[in-house]
Every structure is written in C-alpha cells, then in structure tokens.
Amino acid sequence: MLESMRQFKAGIFQALGHPTRVAVVEFLSHGEMSVGVLCEKVGVEQANISQHLAILRNKHIVETRRDGNQIFYRLRDPLLGEVLEKMREYFFAHLGEVMEMMQEEKKRAKKSEQKARR
C-alpha cells in the first residue's frame, strides 16, 4: 500500500516536472479555462500546450469539457492548486535563507578584498 502511494506521488511530481505544466496547473487553480486562454496566459502555441495537457490528462490531473468547438480544462481536484501554493511558500521561505547566505558571502568577499589591498 505504501509503495503504491509513493508511486502515485512520483507520477504526479513527474507530470508536474515541466515549468509549462506547472504554469497550466497554477492557472487552472483559479478556475476552468479554454485551451486558447491557457495558450495566452502561459505564452505558448496551441500545439505545445496540447502536448502538456495530454500528459496532465493521462495522470488525471485535469479534466475536460467540450462546448461547441472549444475544449475547457479544469483541475480534477483543487487540492493540487493548494499543493503548488505550498510549494510557492516553501520557495519564498528558503529564498530568504539563500539571499542571507549570499549577502554574508558578499560581506566576506569584501573583507577579504580589503585585507588583500593592505
């Protein structure tokens, strides 16, 4: 059972393993969108986004609805949008740490440079 859950998680993370697919999921976390609107928001051509949407569909991350000749996509479960929001929070929490480390390194380099000039 635990191995099945790990496989499931790995499959979801694998499907989200491309920045375009992450962007699609982030936009869809705000609600259903047509393929055309997704292309505009993500900034890619329809052929490109269709490939990414197929991967997300195959992993049951998104669902579709047809209205005339338009196809609309939505997240199968809004919880995934919340997971990505938590990842965003995680990024910014650790970004602060990285920035602090870089500032400390910059200070050390400046001190070393000043000592070398003496």
Side-chain angles (χ1 to χ4, degrees):
M1 177 74 168
L2 246 120
E3 186 60 29
S4 296
M5 184 175 295
R6 288 182 181 134
Q7 288 287 343
F8 172 78
K9 289 177 184 178
I12 297 295
F13 285 119
Q14 184 179 29
L16 294 174
H18 192 282
T20 299
R21 292 192 290 272
V22 172
V24 167
V25 172
E26 287 174 339
F27 284 118
L28 291 177
S29 70
H30 301 292
E32 183 181 78
M33 291 184 192
S34 69
V35 174
V37 170
L38 279 170
C39 287
E40 288 175 26
K41 293 208 177 267
V42 177
V44 296
E45 298 293 322
Q46 187 166 343
N48 186 278
I49 204 149
S50 292
Q51 293 174 345
H52 291 292
L53 288 167
I55 291 167
L56 295 172
R57 259 193 334 269
N58 288 337
K59 291 294 181 179
H60 306 285
I61 293 172
V62 296
E63 297 175 326
T64 61
R65 175 181 68 84
R66 183 178 284 278
D67 186 5
N69 63 351
Q70 284 196 326
I71 299 175
F72 291 85
Y73 281 83
R74 67 182 170 276
L75 289 182
R76 183 174 151 243
D77 189 334
L79 187 58
L80 191 55
E82 294 175 31
V83 169
L84 288 182
E85 178 59 29
K86 290 296 176 192
M87 290 297 295
R88 182 179 177 280
E89 291 173 20
Y90 179 82
F91 172 80
F92 283 114
H94 292 280
L95 180 63
E97 292 173 15
V98 170
M99 295 299 287
E100 285 177 27
M101 287 176 13
M102 289 174 64
Q103 288 173 345
E104 288 299 317
E105 182 59 33
K106 194 174 181 180
K107 286 178 187 176
R108 273 181 278 208
K110 196 172 190 176
K111 284 181 183 179
S112 294
E113 194 177 293
Q114 288 172 346
K115 284 182 182 179
R117 288 183 186 162
R118 292 181 195 171

